[in-house]
Amino acid sequence: MKALVIGATGATGKELVEKLLDNNDYTSVSIFVRRSIGQSHPKLTEHVVNFSEVNQFEDLIKGDVFFSCLGTTLKVAGSKENQWKIDFDIPAAFATAARKNEVKSFVLVSSYGASAKSNVFYSKMKGKLEDFIADLNFEQYLIFRPGPLIRENTDRWGEKISVKLIKALNAIGLFKNLKPISTAFLAEKLIIAPKKLPTGTTILELNAILNLE
């Protein structure tokens, strides 16, 4: 299979690309990035592009499985408007191009609690993206909704504290549906999902992610 990836410079995306390159089921890996990651591999093709002009390079968005790991925080984005552009507009544009080019499988890293009807901005944004891509009618559409992610060497103190807190609560039997998982573990599940799961739309909440083998 030929894999396509956006969000390759993020914590989950980095793990995903490394594991895709080591996986024999994937013969090539094309990543779309704003700047070069400086990596060379026989299976890797890097496209340095302007994410605001997907229509200018949509002919490159061809393959078998598209992985969308793109996302940011409100703090990094600077405003809700900018976060929407990154977390919704860009993945939506890539998904549209992928569907036009007959990519069969779309794998989206969404978020726990994603819902277009949510009153929480982040959850509503993620839910609307899920629905937008669903309307494109990919042959296979896989939505991952993990809880907190453990990112190696993260510099986000709020994330570190929340993960520690949830782990402590998990230890006494609380908030099991928010059990933190590592980005490496999530990447492994993302990779096997297209072969293991059926066509149509599948939403994977935490328990489904943990049990996917």
Side-chain angles (χ1 to χ4, degrees):
M1 295 184 289
K2 179 178 180 181
L4 308 163
V5 182
I6 57 171
T9 59
T12 300
K14 286 179 181 177
E15 295 281 2
L16 177 65
V17 171
E18 289 295 331
K19 293 181 185 302
L20 284 169
L21 294 175
D22 289 336
N23 191 296
N24 292 331
D25 288 333
Y26 294 86
T27 56
S28 66
V29 181
S30 293
I31 63 173
F32 297 84
V33 292
R34 293 185 180 89
R35 57 187 180 279
S36 176
I37 64 171
Q39 183 176 355
S40 178
H41 190 282
K43 287 167 58 173
L44 181 65
T45 300
E46 179 185 74
H47 300 292
V48 179
V49 298
N50 182 346
F51 280 13
S52 298
E53 299 179 353
V54 175
N55 62 315
Q56 298 296 314
F57 56 85
E58 65 177 17
D59 58 314
L60 299 175
I61 306 172
K62 294 178 179 179
D64 301 300
V65 185
F66 192 105
F67 294 94
S68 177
C69 304
L70 191 65
T72 188
T73 63
L74 182 58
K75 181 178 179 180
V76 172
S79 69
K80 289 182 177 179
E81 181 182 8
N82 286 339
Q83 188 177 22
W84 187 277
K85 289 178 181 178
I86 296 169
D87 279 51
F88 182 92
D89 291 345
I90 293 172
F94 270 95
T96 300
R99 184 67 183 90
K100 179 180 178 181
N101 291 335
E102 300 183 344
V103 174
K104 295 185 181 300
S105 181
F106 196 98
V107 183
L108 174 67
V109 178
S110 186
S111 175
Y112 171 81
S115 171
K117 297 179 180 179
S118 176
N119 291 322
V120 178
F121 172 76
Y122 185 79
S123 298
K124 184 174 184 176
M125 175 178 62
K126 291 298 186 181
K128 283 187 172 292
L129 178 61
E130 289 182 3
D131 292 351
F132 179 91
I133 298 172
D135 288 340
L136 295 174
N137 294 312
F138 281 89
E139 184 174 313
Q140 183 187 53
Y141 179 32
L142 309 177
I143 302 169
F144 280 71
R145 292 179 181 169
L149 295 176
I150 303 170
R151 308 168 203 265
E152 186 176 355
N153 300 321
T154 182
D155 57 357
R156 301 177 185 175
W157 285 103
E159 186 175 87
K160 288 181 179 180
I161 293 170
S162 65
V163 167
K164 287 182 178 179
L165 176 61
I166 293 171
K167 280 186 174 181
L169 292 171
N170 288 168
I172 58 174
L174 299 176
F175 296 101
K176 289 292 187 178
N177 60 333
L178 286 176
K179 179 180 178 181
I181 60 174
S182 71
T183 52
F185 180 84
L186 177 58
E188 291 174 359
K189 301 302 183 178
L190 293 171
I191 287 173
I192 66 173
K195 289 196 70 175
K196 297 290 185 177
L197 298 175
T199 56
T201 299
T202 303
I203 298 175
L204 296 98
E205 304 284 0
L206 180 60
N207 282 341
I209 296 172
L210 293 174
N211 294 323
L212 181 61
E213 295 180 352

